Amino acid sequence: MKKIFLIVSSFLVLFFPLMVDAASVDFNGYYCDSKQDLGDGTFYMTCHIIVTSSSNINTIKGTLLLKNVVLESIKTSNGWTSNNGLSTSVSFTSSEGQSGTFTVADLVFTGDLSDEECEASFMPDSADYEEPDVYICKIVDGVYYGEKGDKITEEEYYEQCCNYICTVVDNKYYFDSKGNSVTYDEMVNDCKEIAVEEPSEPIENPKTGVNYGYILIALGISTIIAIRIVIKKNTKIYKI
């Protein structure tokens, strides 16, 4: 008879309670489902990291002890995030501290059915509560943070943090007169409304103390007199 996974025997030894600031964090809830035959001589198996903590924690780190299995995927739950990808050195963080009993992540492993000994154990290294970094309207390591410190998209970042008014950004984002991200046509129509319009009433002369109307009248009269004088002179010349 082929040997069954060493998981059952190993996690009873490896999963011990951790002490965190005089409060206990227990990982004894870790367990793995039965192997699922994939029909090609291989299998997959799902293991669950379940924690019981008497205090709030938001950071968990540990090491996977694997034998004849490969970590294929990690699915986190309850607001937890996996930080190290498919590495055997796992790290999970939560945006908020959690306590009680909760599932942190489900790990999927694959292996060969012909292998007599397989192991997928989890050794917890630490469980703590760390004050999270709060970024307001900042770009950190290519991640955009909004006005509330939450992770947002690039477009949402421009909308919340940059106050673009009637602006085209990177030839793909368009902002209206209120700074909202809209389509190109919506931006054109909205920004046309705030364009300066021709005044409906005549513009008054500037209050400079000079009445340009009187000056024009005087120039007109002077021009007429000058023309009459020239005409008279020319007439006299012709008479001589």
Side-chain angles (χ1 to χ4, degrees), residues 228-240:
R228 290 174 63 87
I229 293 174
V230 170
I231 293 174
K232 287 183 178 181
K233 288 183 177 180
N234 289 339
T235 302
K236 290 180 179 178
I237 291 174
Y238 287 123
K239 286 182 178 180
I240 292 177

Side-chain angles (χ1 to χ4, degrees), residues 134-140 143-150 152 156-163:
V134 179
Y135 301 110
I136 305 298
C137 283
K138 289 186 177 181
I139 305 174
V140 180
V143 178
Y144 294 84
Y145 295 87
E147 57 191 3
K148 296 182 179 179
D150 53 333
I152 57 176
E156 291 171 331
Y157 174 83
Y158 288 143
E159 190 173 39
Q160 293 182 20
C161 305
C162 295
N163 193 32

Side-chain angles (χ1 to χ4, degrees), residues 60-79:
I60 294 173
K61 297 179 181 180
T63 302
L64 296 175
L65 305 180
L66 308 180
K67 183 177 182 179
N68 293 328
V69 295
V70 176
L71 176 61
E72 292 289 342
S73 66
I74 299 176
K75 180 181 179 181
T76 56
S77 58
N78 296 326

